[in-house]
Amino acid sequence: MFASCVPPLLVRLFTTLCALVLLITLGLGSELRVRVRLADGLITEEILEADSERDAISLEFKQGDGALITFVADFKQNVKIFRALILGELERGQNQYQALCFLSRLNHNEIIPSESMARLRQKNPLAIRLAEERRGLEQLTMSTAVNLSRAGQLSSHVYNVCSEAREAIYTSQEDAKHWLDKGAEGSVFEILPQTEDVPGLQPCRVTTDLWQPCLCVYSLRLEWYPCLLKFCRSRDTTGKGAPYRCGIKSCSKGYQFTYYVPQKQLCLWDEET
């Protein structure tokens, strides 16, 4: 599969997040902007949007290397979508942008519900946030390609989010099997070549020939996102306690995706230093 390249875009410059004091209000606002510090020390702005009707949340930010990361949580179909628009290395023959998409199952309690996200507000929009909990790195082997034209069987959001990455949409064999068991058609998926299928297939970081197939690694980190609701207790006139929502817990989590590319030229960021 060839990673597709995006034509010049007017890319929104929004970036990763860290912990803040948030209030859950009765408003129906669906967008939250948070300033966060990335691992490389740069400050960026992240935009979180909630769509209660479609029961989905999106998060978007720009990394220090210029890549635009978009994350979508589809609660209706329990699917996570990661999209990366990566700046190309023009001097090495790449186009201006390269697009990747990764799909995986959304597990229970990974992120707060869309209705709760839509009600979040922050007291100090200028504050730089840090996540309260730094969760471990999740390593995913994305050994299956996804057919964009049929990916709506997995999530109605895939086509809009991943259209630029038409030839570079990936998932794991385990998740593909799960969706097949749930009724997805076999034409949605294509198993990519594995180490045993391609003699001499190596990680891209040690492959010197730009036109050789290899196993690419792409990593990203969501520096701040609301992972859990917090509950406080109030007491009525009789002294009985009653729980109520009083905020959120923020988390940071890293992801590492490994997948097959037909040529090292599509994975220039994954090199030995």
Side-chain angles (χ1 to χ4, degrees):
M1 301 293 291
F2 283 82
S4 58
C5 293
V6 182
L9 299 173
L10 293 176
V11 180
R12 293 181 293 172
L13 306 181
F14 306 132
T15 331
T16 355
L17 320 174
C18 295
L20 78 172
V21 178
L22 290 169
L23 298 179
I24 297 179
T25 74
L26 298 178
L28 296 177
S30 62
E31 181 179 286
L32 181 71
R33 295 176 181 241
V34 182
R35 299 178 71 220
V36 299
R37 189 184 301 276
L38 301 175
D40 57 11
L42 295 177
I43 306 300
T44 188
E45 184 178 63
E46 180 170 329
I47 288 189
L48 299 97
E49 295 182 289
D51 186 336
S52 299
E53 288 188 5
R54 300 183 71 188
D55 201 8
I57 289 170
S58 67
L59 178 158
E60 190 168 77
F61 63 95
K62 186 178 142 185
Q63 293 189 146
D65 61 3
L68 184 71
I69 304 298
T70 303
F71 167 76
V72 175
D74 179 354
F75 294 97
K76 278 190 176 180
Q77 294 173 282
N78 295 319
V79 175
K80 289 183 298 198
I81 305 169
F82 299 87
R83 184 191 67 182
L85 297 181
I86 304 162
L87 292 175
E89 297 188 38
L90 302 181
E91 69 280 6
R92 299 180 69 179
Q94 290 189 323
N95 287 347
Q96 189 168 3
Y97 290 95
Q98 183 175 334
L100 303 172
C101 258
F102 304 101
L103 312 181
S104 64
R105 276 183 286 170
L106 177 64
N107 297 315
H108 184 61
N109 280 340
E110 279 193 73
I111 192 167
I112 66 171
S114 60
E115 285 190 4
S116 298
M117 179 78 82
R119 295 186 172 98
L120 293 184
R121 300 291 183 273
Q122 59 178 325
K123 288 181 178 179
N124 184 1
L126 299 180
I128 298 171
R129 312 300 181 180
L130 296 172
E132 297 170 67
E133 178 184 341
R134 192 172 179 88
R135 293 183 170 178
L137 177 70
E138 185 172 351
Q139 297 177 306
L140 298 161
T141 301
M142 311 304 268
S143 53
T144 303
V146 177
N147 184 333
L148 177 65
S149 65
R150 297 183 179 276
Q153 297 178 41
L154 310 182
S155 168
S156 60
H157 299 274
V158 175
Y159 190 85
N160 287 336
V161 176
C162 298
S163 57
E164 297 94 343
R166 180 177 296 272
E167 298 296 323
I169 307 173
Y170 306 99
T171 191
S172 66
Q173 286 193 33
E174 295 79 8
D175 284 342
K177 182 180 185 303
H178 168 79
W179 288 319
L180 288 169
D181 292 343
K182 291 287 186 178
E185 298 175 3
S187 58
V188 176
F189 307 106
E190 176 190 346
I191 302 298
L192 296 171
Q194 304 300 305
T195 305
E196 59 271 18
D197 303 323
V198 182
L201 185 66
Q202 294 183 310
C204 291
R205 68 179 181 275
V206 298
T207 301
T208 56
D209 186 342
L210 292 180
W211 309 110
Q212 279 289 108
C214 54
L215 294 174
C216 185
V217 174
Y218 187 76
S219 300
L220 61 88
R221 173 167 285 276
L222 305 181
E223 287 290 352
W224 186 99
Y225 65 95
C227 51
L228 289 172
L229 294 171
K230 288 182 178 178
F231 289 86
C232 300
R233 297 187 70 85
S234 63
R235 293 192 177 276
D236 57 24
T237 55
T238 65
K240 292 182 179 179
Y244 66 95
R245 295 177 184 177
C246 58
I248 59 98
K249 179 178 181 179
S250 58
C251 292
S252 169
K253 185 172 176 62
Y255 298 86
Q256 185 181 87
F257 305 99
T258 301
Y259 59 100
Y260 170 88
V261 290
Q263 52 188 253
K264 164 75 176 279
Q265 179 74 1
L266 299 171
C267 187
L268 294 182
W269 56 83
D270 187 16
E271 296 183 312
E272 285 189 324
T273 55

